[in-house]
Amino acid sequence: MSDPTSKEEIILEGIPASPGVAHGTALVYLQKQLDIPSFDLEESAVDQEIERLDHAILETRSEITSVRNKVAESLGEGEAAIFDAHLMVLEDNALISEVIAEVRSSKKNVEHCYNNVAQRYISFFSSMEDEYLKERVSDIRDVTRRLLHNLIGMTKVDLGHIPHDSIVISEDITPSDTADMDRNKLLGFATDVGGKTSHSVIMARSLGIPAVVGLRDATQRIKSGDQILLDGYEGVIVINPSEERLYRYGKLANERRKLDAIYQTAISQPSETKDGAPIQLMANIEGTQDMEHALAMNADGVGLFRTEGIFLRHHGYPPEAVQYEEYAAVAKAAGKNPVIIRTLDVGGDKTIGDETVKEDNSFMGFRAIRFCLENITIFKTQLRAILRASAHGNVKLMYPMISGLPELHRANEVLESVKAELREEGQAFDEAIEVGAMVEVPSAAVIVDLLAAETDFLSIGTNDLIQYLMAVDRLNDRVAHLYDPAHPAVLRTLQAIIDGGRKANIPVSVCGEIAGDPIFAALLVGMGADSLSLTANSLPEVKYLIRLMDSQDAKVLVKKALQSNSSIEILELLENFRLDALGELVH
Ligand code: PEP
Ligand code: MG
């Protein structure tokens, strides 16, 4: 019998982004423009409205003070000064008196009045010549947003400090938000916008945090405090899930756990097909914190070290010493296994400081190697740190977003100049360090022979390659259904790149998200990829599957897939191959 006090279930459908199921309490995290309510007050409600303002000011004060103290502790008093300025704005008597006067005279709610007064201050300060006063505008904006969030009852969450068992619901989540997340407290997240291969989602996957994106209006329909069930496999959110649904999900989770335990048995086994064809399975990491997991999964080294994580966690450009320590620690932890460190891929959805302002077409803009070649000091600092770390292990260097030979030549010139500096200083580094390029821009794929002739290895970044090949922005949920890794054009391009590497006798790896997707494992093996680099979480399942397949069968599969003109048919071929390989396990 259903419980008469239980609330009605509401189901929202989005895009499955990071697998797993989470059940917890919603925390609605708003970053963008607030909808500020406006309504008339009864005469008798005016005093109560002013009391609401007092409470919100107190609440905001304690929030700002706690952020201030945290920043002072980690970055020093100088960095914390900005929050002292925020407290001054918050407690500015003139501003508060004006708001109270406006509530009394207009008999409108306090959010409406506060916003009106704040906007007047913002226009006034913006028109000033004085730079110092102009800068106060952003303080007023920040404080107003915090205070309005508190008045409206929505929390301006610091993702590093959230209550236990939270599921964050947000319009969008940036990679720097994700970098601040406390993985012990955050059960999952869901966003109104976004695609499967946004960097926040990639980070969530590697942290093992279930996520659903592209829900369109989740932030409007979910309130902080709601009970939520998030299904990252199917891309569904259930508000107020019934007991029956929770029971069903509990059973599914049990089955999933049993399967996972079976996949884990592959970890200690060699990474090869049933007939003994080897394929390296390497880890995608964001920093030293991911190494323990990568080693526990027996990864054959690091195939992609996305160094942006260090920059995002640092909220800026970390000095050489900070970078060196991190790269060297990873190199040491990997022992003899290779560690491919990718130079800074900032821009796109990863913005750091003022140098990387968000652009209209940010993925086609000032990003990655383009940014580094115009910010030589930042680039050189990183190259120095990577080279010095190469003295401690099997480090290789890789450039992202190479679109043609001139970029490769220019990057190598900078690299040579940094090597010369280090030699002169007597600093140790690996003179024979291998240098590779990511193939993720279609022009690079077309000239793969030219690139292969001048590099030591290639790594295919399918996340970008697919978005550029198909003109489907990887962040845009409205066109997410067109982002199709099984498109015949994608398959042909992948095969051409792998063949190009093979002809030049250099290894080719795949490091985009499809490398960790079991459906694509046989395809990539059959095409002849030398290694797959994937999040450590996906490694056991992919390895288990590879060990069950025959490399000749995988080649036949590729032949059939390349002859097909339909991605639906290709996906069917791939899925059937996977199911056949797994046999009884899934039947
Ligand atoms: C890719 O584009 O596939 C890739 C691995 O790089 P990123 O996802 O960091 O852009
Ligand atoms: Mg990329």
Side-chain angles (χ1 to χ4, degrees):
M1 212 173 79
S2 70
D3 173 2
T5 60
S6 69
K7 295 188 194 154
E8 197 193 334
E9 275 194 337
I10 301 170
I11 297 177
L12 310 181
E13 284 180 22
I15 301 170
S18 175
V21 173
H23 176 212
T25 309
L27 192 64
V28 181
Y29 169 65
L30 293 183
Q31 307 131 308
K32 291 192 190 150
Q33 206 58 41
L34 284 171
D35 279 336
I36 298 156
S38 169
F39 52 88
D40 295 324
L41 299 173
E42 299 280 325
E43 181 66 51
S44 58
V46 169
D47 285 342
Q48 217 179 331
E49 199 65 3
I50 291 163
E51 252 174 59
R52 278 214 306 130
L53 175 64
D54 290 342
H55 279 139
I57 291 176
L58 280 179
E59 201 178 335
T60 311
R61 173 172 230 298
S62 92
E63 266 175 31
I64 298 177
T65 311
S66 100
V67 179
R68 186 215 172 279
N69 293 344
K70 203 179 103 200
V71 171
E73 216 171 88
S74 54
L75 300 171
E77 285 294 328
E79 297 285 333
I82 178 85
F83 298 103
D84 293 330
H86 285 189
L87 285 173
M88 276 165 65
V89 171
L90 177 72
E91 290 170 345
D92 186 282
N93 274 332
L95 191 149
I96 296 172
S97 307
E98 258 183 74
V99 176
I100 294 176
E102 187 154 330
V103 173
R104 289 199 185 288
S105 63
S106 69
K107 307 224 169 20
K108 285 270 189 198
N109 60 310
V110 66
E111 293 88 345
H112 174 86
C113 298
Y114 195 100
N115 190 46
N116 276 353
V117 174
Q119 294 311 324
R120 282 205 293 274
Y121 273 66
I122 287 169
S123 332
F124 175 68
F125 281 114
S126 305
S127 64
M128 298 249 156
E129 289 294 315
D130 184 312
E131 278 308 311
Y132 173 81
L133 291 176
K134 259 194 177 157
E135 275 176 27
R136 303 284 64 80
V137 167
S138 67
D139 296 343
I140 301 172
R141 280 214 178 97
D142 233 71
V143 170
T144 304
R145 264 158 69 87
R146 260 184 202 280
L147 189 103
L148 289 176
H149 271 121
N150 286 332
L151 276 170
I152 299 169
M154 288 178 293
T155 333
K156 173 83 184 94
V157 193
D158 167 0
L159 289 179
H161 289 85
I162 55 173
H164 275 282
D165 296 348
S166 295
I167 296 180
V168 168
I169 314 291
S170 173
E171 291 151 319
D172 192 7
I173 287 195
T174 65
S176 69
D177 290 328
T178 324
D180 286 338
M181 281 179 184
D182 182 341
R183 60 177 97 178
N184 296 316
K185 294 180 183 165
L186 181 73
L187 292 183
F189 75 74
T191 57
D192 288 345
V193 301
K196 263 184 176 186
T197 58
S198 75
H199 283 103
S200 310
V201 163
I202 292 173
M203 280 159 127
R205 237 177 265 143
S206 80
L207 294 173
I209 298 175
V212 177
V213 300
L215 285 152
R216 303 278 167 93
D217 57 356
T219 51
Q220 306 296 315
R221 303 189 54 189
I222 302 173
K223 300 272 163 293
S224 284
D226 280 350
Q227 280 306 296
I228 297 284
L229 180 78
L230 180 151
D231 178 352
Y233 296 110
E234 299 294 329
V236 169
I237 291 266
V238 185
I239 313 173
N240 307 319
S242 65
E243 287 299 326
E244 192 188 319
R245 187 178 298 273
L246 291 175
Y247 174 74
R248 251 189 294 133
Y249 266 91
K251 267 178 73 175
L252 282 176
N254 251 343
E255 278 164 28
R256 184 74 213 178
R257 263 194 295 276
K258 276 191 209 146
L259 268 182
D260 281 342
I262 294 172
Y263 296 145
Q264 298 272 338
T265 58
I267 293 175
S268 53
Q269 306 293 320
S271 182
E272 58 187 27
T273 58
K274 196 164 69 180
D275 53 326
I279 174 136
Q280 275 185 313
L281 292 181
M282 304 171 88
N284 286 355
I285 67 162
E286 308 255 348
T288 39
Q289 74 282 358
D290 298 328
M291 272 315 273
E292 199 182 324
H293 193 34
L295 292 172
M297 295 300 114
N298 244 337
D300 301 312
V302 172
L304 171 64
F305 183 167
R306 286 188 170 95
T307 54
E308 306 79 60
I310 308 172
F311 292 67
L312 293 171
R313 286 191 296 280
H314 192 84
H315 298 284
Y317 298 91
E320 181 182 328
V322 170
Q323 294 189 53
Y324 163 70
E325 283 204 6
E326 183 119 13
Y327 306 147
V330 169
K332 283 179 198 161
K336 287 197 174 61
N337 282 331
V339 173
I340 300 179
I341 305 183
R342 179 176 77 181
T343 58
L344 186 62
D345 184 0
V346 71
D349 57 350
K350 295 176 186 169
T351 47
I352 303 171
D354 293 339
E355 287 88 342
T356 52
V357 262
K358 197 99 180 84
E359 301 164 306
D360 281 347
N361 270 315
S362 57
F363 274 108
M364 297 214 269
F366 192 44
R367 186 189 163 194
I369 199 70
R370 303 170 181 183
F371 171 87
C372 286
L373 292 177
E374 284 191 36
N375 286 278
I376 293 294
T377 314
I378 292 171
F379 192 34
K380 278 188 158 180
T381 304
Q382 182 174 40
L383 291 175
R384 282 180 62 95
I386 297 173
L387 282 171
R388 286 177 54 211
S390 72
H392 301 286
N394 183 1
V395 170
K396 301 174 193 225
L397 184 78
M398 178 162 76
Y399 304 126
M401 279 279 284
I402 292 290
S403 64
L405 287 180
E407 272 164 350
L408 179 66
H409 294 160
R410 180 79 190 101
N412 277 338
E413 267 166 38
V414 181
L415 179 66
E416 287 310 315
S417 75
V418 170
K419 282 184 181 172
E421 266 173 39
L422 292 177
R423 268 182 220 118
E424 202 151 295
E425 292 166 23
Q427 304 257 26
F429 68 93
D430 176 7
E431 283 281 357
I433 188 168
E434 288 188 12
V435 179
M438 290 201 61
V439 184
E440 50 184 350
V441 178
S443 58
V446 175
I447 57 152
V448 63
D449 54 331
L450 305 181
L451 272 185
E454 299 195 35
T455 44
D456 296 311
F457 61 91
L458 296 174
S459 188
I460 310 178
T462 50
N463 303 336
D464 280 315
L465 184 63
I466 297 168
Q467 79 159 342
Y468 296 133
L469 205 53
M470 307 196 62
V472 177
D473 184 335
R474 64 196 264 192
L475 296 185
N476 187 341
D477 48 290
R478 301 198 76 135
V479 289
H481 59 288
L482 298 172
Y483 187 97
D484 183 5
H487 192 289
V490 174
L491 266 56
R492 289 183 195 188
T493 310
L494 290 176
Q495 187 64 75
I497 300 168
I498 294 171
D499 289 348
R502 178 132 300 174
K503 262 197 195 141
N505 231 348
I506 62 165
V508 180
S509 158
V510 179
C511 66
E513 290 303 288
I514 67 167
D517 186 338
I519 294 190
F520 289 93
L523 182 87
L524 300 175
V525 168
M527 284 183 167
D530 296 280
S531 62
L532 305 182
S533 190
L534 61 170
T535 162
N537 283 332
S538 315
L539 199 148
E541 184 173 349
V542 171
K543 189 170 187 182
Y544 188 88
L545 190 60
I546 287 175
R547 290 181 50 76
L548 288 177
M549 66 181 73
D550 185 282
S551 65
Q552 294 311 318
D553 292 348
K555 284 197 178 114
V556 173
L557 171 74
V558 168
K559 205 166 169 203
K560 278 192 206 149
L562 281 170
Q563 278 162 359
S564 170
N565 61 7
S566 138
S567 62
I568 294 174
E569 193 180 280
I570 292 171
L571 276 176
E572 236 170 58
L573 281 171
L574 301 185
E575 179 60 352
N576 287 340
F577 187 96
R578 184 185 79 91
L579 294 176
D580 282 352
L582 288 176
E584 280 183 2
L585 197 60
V586 286
H587 287 119

